[in-house]
Structure formats: structure tokens, C-alpha cells
Amino acid sequence: MNYLTKLVSGCILLLILLAAREIAGSTLLPAADVLLKDHIYEETIKTVLLYPTSPEKERAARLLQQPILSLQQHKTLTLEFDDLQADYRSFRAKIIHCNADWSQSVLNDVEFTQTFNEFPVLDYQQSFSTKVPYYHYSFEVPPLKLAGNYVLLVYTERDRTPVLTRRFMIYDPKVRIEGAVRFSEGVSEQKTHQQVDFSIDYKGYVLNAPQTELKVVIRQNFRWDNLKTDFRPTSVNAFEQTAGYQFFRLENNFPGGNEFRYFDSRTLTARGFGIQYIERLDEFTRLILAMDKPRAREGYFQSDDFNGHYIIDQRESGNGSTEADYTPVVFSLKAPESDQGDVYVNGSFNLWQLNDLNRMTYNAETGTYNAVILLKQGVINYDYVVQNTDTRMTNEQLLEGTYSTTENDYDILVYHRPPAARSDILIGYRTLEWNRRR
């Protein structure tokens, strides 16, 4: 009897230790340097795409869909990325739950996942008939059971080194959002800015203090570097259970910006739009784009774009995932040297980040800014941005201008933390279009 008692006690202790280890491990990241934002940690990792899973695997338009899903849709997301290292590497993925401010929540994995939170990335292919060899990886993010902000982390299986992180969101439509975009009400901003007015209908959802409980975020063109937050309702109707957000100090104004520049490299047999010259070398094919110039004083010019995003495609095969090649792309901007800061080539292709990969250098002899960026074939949107070297503030209007008639997309995200809850929930989502022409 004493032996059985000890055996049972030992088994219980073992189970407790294993459970504690799983709970502790669920909140630990594979590395201390993980950033809870869109980021690429290795230069060999390229073309990181995250979008709602589509049955048309090579339809290029799928790549323009944003990584945002309704909890009620029971859909999944697909991650794609390339590794330009010559050898195959094993990767694993982990999902991190975050609060509205993108700090890591205190939830355990079992509270938002349906399986063990560590997934092997098993789907990979080698590139075919490309001068620059690469491995193409894809991973389908498993369904989750809780609305909110998430970060998908991919790391090496061997040493658990992070290689990329991508944000995505799951929303549970508990409130309804009504909104519209229009010209700014500001006298001096009417020709340069756009205004987002909206209201929140929370009928059927319990809010004790709607004036302070809701956290609202508005993004322009789905960019995390171009958002506004900390909104408070200007009016609350307790009987109708609605909160209105109509501001008088232009808190909801955004610079309209300009339509994005773009080039088309879907084929390398001839010059696509925006490409001045194709240089064919043994190790790669270099693309020299047509010379750009500042547009801040030219006036608005209507053109179709992807609002800063891009698609990957290879026209001859239709299989952009593994048959699109990587090409060094030469960007040139004819402009005086800026005394405001450094100039960058900006766009979703670089996750809207400004770093050494897209920083331009100034050539005083030719009077041009130049940059060479390795990009995969497709249709790529970009623009030029100046970053102040002291404040690190960015300014797209200096070189691109800003116009209230520019086509833009806006999305509104509404977060709430219910009483006694331990994390923020995304309870409302709405996309608004302005001046859409297609």
C-alpha cells in the first residue's frame, strides 16, 4: 500500500511538473530578440506574404488580401516566404497572442489555440529555372478560437533563431461600425487631407463605460506605420446604444498622399512598365527603372495602383511562387540633396520599414539618389520617403505631395477588454474606400 501511494504521488507530481512546463513554455518565445511587429531578421529571407487562404494558389490577386479574418468565418491564413540560402532549412512556426497595443498578452496557449502551439513548416519547393536559386516555403496558419491581435513567428528548428514575424488579426463582430471618408473639414486641409467619420453601434453588447472602454485604431492603406489611435467618442446615446466619432480638431484627418509609383517585371523578355533597361548577366538579370523625379509640386495625376502593396507573378508560366526570378532593381530619383534627412524607397515590399536595404545614396555628380534592391518578379508599388536623422520622423509629402483626391483605403479596428478578462478582444472591424475607381 505504501509503494502504491508513493507511485501515485510520483505520477501526480510528474503530471504537475509537465503541466507547469507546458504553461511556462507557452509564454516563452524562442528568442529574446523577437519583435512583435512585421519584421525580417535575416537578409536571405525575402518576399514574406500573409493572406487569407485561397483555392486559387497562383492567382496573383490573392496576395492583395489583408491578413484579417472573422472568427465566424472559420477560414485560415497562408504564409509564404523565400529563403535565398542554397540549402534547405527546417523551420517551425509559433503564434503569439497580443493586446491592442501589440504587447504580448498573459494568456496561455491553450486559451487561444486548438492544438499544441509549435508547428513544423513542411511545405517547401525549390525554385525552377531561375538565375537566383531559392527555397519557397508555405504554411497554413491553423484556426484559432479567440479574437484579437496575433503575431506569427517563424524560427529555425535547429537553433530556434527567429527569421520573421508577421502580424495578423481575428475579429469577433460584436459591434457594428458605420463610417465614411470625405474631404477634410479643415480650411487649409481641404485639398490635401481626407477625413474619416464613424460611429459604433453596440446594441446587444455590454459596455459599462463606452466613453473610455473602447480602443479604436484607424489605418490608412492597412499600414502599421500610418495609423491613428486614442480616439474618444464625441457623443454617446445610451438609449440607442451608439457612440459617435465626429471630431472638430481634425483628429480624424489623414494626408491623402499621392498614387504610388510602380513598375511591372512579370516578364524579363521585354521591358515592362517603368523599366528603362534590362541588363542580362550570367548570375542575375538587373532592371534599371526609368528616372523618377519629385511630384510634390506637379499637381495630382490619376493612376491605378495597389495602394503601396504588390503582387508576385511570372507571366510566362503563371507560377510566381517558384518560377519568378529575383532581380536587382536600380531606383534613381533626380532631386537636390535633402537637408531634411535620409531618403528611402518605401513600400509593402519591405514591410514599410526603413533600413539599409532600401536607403538611397546621393550622387553629387549626377544629382540623383540611387538604390539597388533585390526584388522578386511582379508588379511592385513604391514611393520615396524622407526620414529625419534626429527625430526619426518620416515625411512622404516632401517628395510625393499630398492630395485629397488620392484613392486610399481605410480600416477601423475596435478593441475592448471585458470585465475580468485578461486580454483585449477585437470586437469590430470595417474597411472604407475613398475614390475607388476599379
Side-chain angles (χ1 to χ4, degrees):
M1 186 69 178
N2 189 31
Y3 170 77
L4 290 175
T5 301
K6 290 182 178 180
L7 180 62
V8 172
S9 300
C11 290
I12 293 174
L13 180 60
L14 179 60
L15 290 173
I16 293 174
L17 290 174
L18 289 174
R21 179 183 176 183
E22 181 176 351
I23 292 174
S26 68
T27 58
L28 293 177
L29 303 181
D33 297 330
V34 169
L35 303 175
L36 299 179
K37 64 178 184 178
D38 295 339
H39 192 71
I40 298 174
Y41 300 81
E42 295 185 5
E43 288 192 11
T44 61
I45 301 298
K46 302 289 185 181
T47 318
V48 179
L49 298 160
L50 185 62
Y51 56 89
T53 303
S54 170
E56 301 176 275
K57 293 185 178 180
E58 289 302 324
R59 184 172 178 267
R62 78 193 190 282
L63 305 178
L64 297 176
Q65 303 299 311
Q66 298 303 309
I68 305 167
L69 295 177
S70 169
L71 190 65
Q72 300 176 353
Q73 290 178 313
H74 304 290
K75 292 184 178 180
T76 60
L77 297 169
T78 295
L79 172 76
E80 293 187 33
F81 65 95
D82 296 332
D83 186 3
L84 270 60
Q85 286 199 18
D87 299 325
Y88 163 79
R89 291 195 289 172
S90 296
F91 295 105
R92 301 188 77 84
K94 181 182 178 67
I95 300 170
I96 304 167
H97 185 268
C98 296
N99 294 309
D101 62 355
W102 292 98
S103 61
Q104 185 174 359
S105 74
V106 298
L107 299 184
N108 296 317
D109 291 348
V110 295
E111 297 182 71
F112 58 87
T113 63
Q114 300 181 5
T115 60
F116 183 68
N117 190 7
E118 192 172 9
F119 311 94
V121 180
L122 300 176
D123 191 353
Y124 66 92
Q125 294 176 283
Q126 284 184 277
S127 60
F128 178 76
S129 190
T130 60
K131 289 185 178 181
V132 178
Y134 59 88
Y135 275 87
H136 178 77
Y137 296 85
S138 63
F139 169 70
E140 187 171 334
V141 182
L144 300 171
K145 57 187 181 183
L146 185 66
N149 288 347
Y150 291 93
V151 170
L152 179 63
L153 166 67
V154 176
Y155 53 94
T156 58
E157 187 173 40
R158 182 176 180 179
D159 55 10
R160 299 176 70 82
T161 301
V163 296
L164 68 92
T165 44
R166 279 302 305 267
R167 293 174 172 178
F168 68 96
M169 290 158 289
I170 308 293
Y171 68 96
D172 190 3
K174 299 293 187 182
V175 300
R176 290 160 295 281
I177 305 171
E178 297 293 334
V181 185
R182 56 196 179 99
F183 295 113
S184 172
E185 289 184 344
V187 176
S188 59
E189 290 82 10
Q190 286 185 352
K191 295 183 179 181
T192 59
H193 285 62
Q194 297 163 0
Q195 181 169 310
V196 182
D197 293 325
F198 63 99
S199 63
I200 298 174
D201 183 340
Y202 57 93
K203 292 185 183 70
Y205 186 75
V206 178
L207 285 177
N208 295 324
Q211 297 89 344
T212 58
E213 289 186 22
L214 297 177
K215 301 175 183 177
V216 179
V217 174
I218 303 179
R219 300 186 300 172
Q220 186 187 61
N221 295 328
F222 310 105
R223 294 170 54 175
W224 291 112
D225 68 327
N226 194 358
L227 61 81
K228 291 193 175 186
T229 186
D230 296 328
F231 296 103
R232 290 289 181 267
T234 54
S235 62
V236 174
N237 188 324
F239 296 100
E240 295 292 334
Q241 292 186 303
T242 59
Y245 294 78
Q246 287 80 35
F247 300 97
F248 305 100
R249 297 181 180 178
L250 309 182
E251 299 98 318
N252 53 341
N253 274 216
F254 289 80
N258 206 339
E259 308 295 354
F260 282 84
R261 309 171 193 255
Y262 74 94
F263 66 91
D264 186 346
S265 62
R266 287 176 292 178
T267 180
L268 299 179
T269 61
R271 291 183 300 165
F273 181 87
I275 299 175
Q276 183 178 25
Y277 182 70
I278 300 177
E279 186 178 7
R280 295 179 174 87
L281 305 175
D282 292 338
E283 63 272 29
F284 51 74
T285 299
R286 180 186 287 119
L287 304 181
I288 294 88
L289 301 187
M291 180 73 69
D292 288 321
K293 59 182 180 179
R295 301 186 294 174
R297 298 182 180 179
E298 289 188 352
Y300 175 72
F301 178 77
Q302 177 179 321
S303 64
D304 292 333
D305 65 1
F306 295 146
N307 289 338
H309 300 277
Y310 67 102
I311 60 172
I312 298 300
D313 196 10
Q314 208 268 7
R315 181 169 290 173
E316 285 74 20
S317 68
N319 184 1
S321 296
T322 56
E323 296 188 44
D325 210 344
Y326 276 87
T327 62
V329 179
V330 180
F331 296 84
S332 300
L333 174 67
K334 185 74 171 180
E337 187 171 11
S338 174
D339 58 359
Q340 302 293 317
D342 294 325
V343 177
Y344 294 82
V345 185
N346 192 33
S348 178
F349 68 86
N350 202 50
L351 301 180
W352 303 106
Q353 296 178 4
L354 308 181
N355 51 41
D356 291 339
L357 297 178
N358 59 339
R359 181 186 288 113
M360 307 189 81
T361 58
Y362 191 72
N363 186 327
E365 294 183 2
T366 61
T368 60
Y369 281 95
N370 303 284
V372 181
I373 305 175
L374 188 65
L375 296 172
K376 200 173 185 179
Q377 283 182 260
V379 180
I380 314 296
N381 279 199
Y382 69 97
D383 69 0
Y384 296 106
V385 61
V386 178
Q387 184 181 63
N388 188 286
T389 52
D390 296 324
T391 65
R392 315 307 294 175
M393 297 294 292
T394 59
N395 191 327
E396 284 179 278
Q397 289 85 58
L398 282 176
L399 295 172
E400 302 295 349
T402 178
Y403 307 97
S404 58
T405 50
T406 301
E407 177 195 356
N408 287 306
D409 291 327
Y410 293 89
D411 60 346
I412 303 173
L413 304 98
V414 180
Y415 298 88
H416 180 237
R417 180 172 295 198
R422 297 161 54 235
S423 66
D424 299 322
I425 302 173
L426 183 55
I427 60 171
Y429 181 76
R430 177 73 184 271
T431 300
L432 304 174
E433 298 175 352
W434 169 249
N435 205 16
R436 177 62 63 91
R437 295 181 294 272
R438 61 182 187 278

